Amino acid sequence: MSDPLAGEVTGVPDVGTAAPEQVMEQARRDGSAERATGSQDAPPSAWTPPTPGERLRLLRASRTVAVVGASNKPSRASYFVSTYLLASTDYEVWFVNPREREVLGRPCYPSLAELPGVPDIVDVFRRPSELGAVLDEAVAVGARALWLQLGLSDDDVARRGTAAGLTVVMNRCLKIEHARFHGGLHYAGFDTGVISSQRRAVR
């Protein structure tokens, strides 16, 4: 049986009917060979995006999520994602924001260091300029992963996080990823309960 999570590969040339030597020559010219296979010249702390399978394993193995930048404003993405995490997952969710005392009826902590435990995933909704400081906090408390929400990415933060032993996910929504892997998304907008990229046959 094929793995439905496999296949998210980018940066690999379209081989078509070209001979292998032609493909590799094109790959060397445009740099896709290094991106696809990992150049030996790359620094050891270079960041490589987690594969779909790796993201799924992270989500399955995690038990606690700290939402950094949580807000009580329904218009904020953090509010929407937090609502989903509380209602549709088994995660223990902790909120972090020094400007809030409570979010969605739960206590909000000033920093990661003041949480009641160590978060597996630090889900970040902060300005790009603050991502480095959040990473430093995540490393200090022993978090397992740093997850930067849609629109957030920083190559230096990703490299430093990887070098420190964290799994780093960038520019992805935790809610969308969890729902996609757990059968919560469908091309027509409803829950099929099936994790697959293929539509069910019509009977």
Side-chain angles (χ1 to χ4, degrees):
M1 179 180 295
S2 62
D3 184 356
L5 297 176
E8 186 176 276
V9 180
T10 60
V12 181
D14 182 5
V15 298
T17 58
E21 59 270 17
Q22 293 174 311
V23 172
M24 290 309 298
E25 177 60 27
Q26 176 62 34
R28 281 190 290 270
R29 285 199 299 269
D30 63 19
S32 57
E34 286 77 9
R35 292 195 299 272
T37 62
S39 171
Q40 293 183 355
D41 296 330
S45 59
W47 177 75
T48 301
T51 65
E54 290 168 341
R55 296 197 302 274
L56 175 57
R57 286 190 288 275
L58 170 63
L59 293 174
R60 285 180 171 172
S62 297
R63 296 292 178 267
T64 56
V65 176
V67 181
V68 177
S71 173
N72 272 311
K73 297 180 180 179
S75 59
R76 296 289 179 86
S78 63
Y79 186 95
F80 179 70
V81 171
S82 296
T83 300
Y84 172 86
L85 293 176
L86 292 176
S88 303
T89 76
D90 295 327
Y91 297 137
E92 183 172 358
V93 182
W94 297 320
F95 299 123
V96 179
N97 190 334
R99 297 183 180 87
E100 301 279 4
R101 298 188 63 182
E102 189 176 273
V103 172
L104 291 169
R106 299 197 174 200
C108 193
Y109 300 90
S111 67
L112 293 175
E114 297 180 62
L115 293 176
V118 177
D120 291 316
I121 298 176
V122 176
D123 190 23
V124 186
F125 296 85
R126 295 286 288 272
R127 295 184 182 89
S129 61
E130 299 174 344
L131 298 181
V134 176
L135 169 63
D136 292 340
E137 279 195 69
V139 172
V141 300
R144 176 177 184 174
L146 183 74
W147 191 297
L148 306 185
Q149 282 287 147
L150 285 172
L152 293 177
S153 64
D154 186 308
D155 290 342
D156 181 62
V157 166
R159 286 191 292 267
R160 290 202 297 117
T162 300
L166 276 70
T167 298
V168 179
V169 181
M170 299 198 298
N171 196 28
R172 288 186 178 274
C173 176
L174 182 59
K175 184 269 181 195
I176 292 175
E177 291 292 288
H178 185 277
R180 179 165 76 94
F181 288 139
H182 293 79
L185 292 180
H186 187 273
Y187 73 97
F190 54 85
D191 187 352
T192 64
V194 177
I195 304 174
S196 175
S197 61
Q198 299 180 347
R199 300 180 184 181
R200 285 178 175 176
V202 178
R203 298 181 179 178

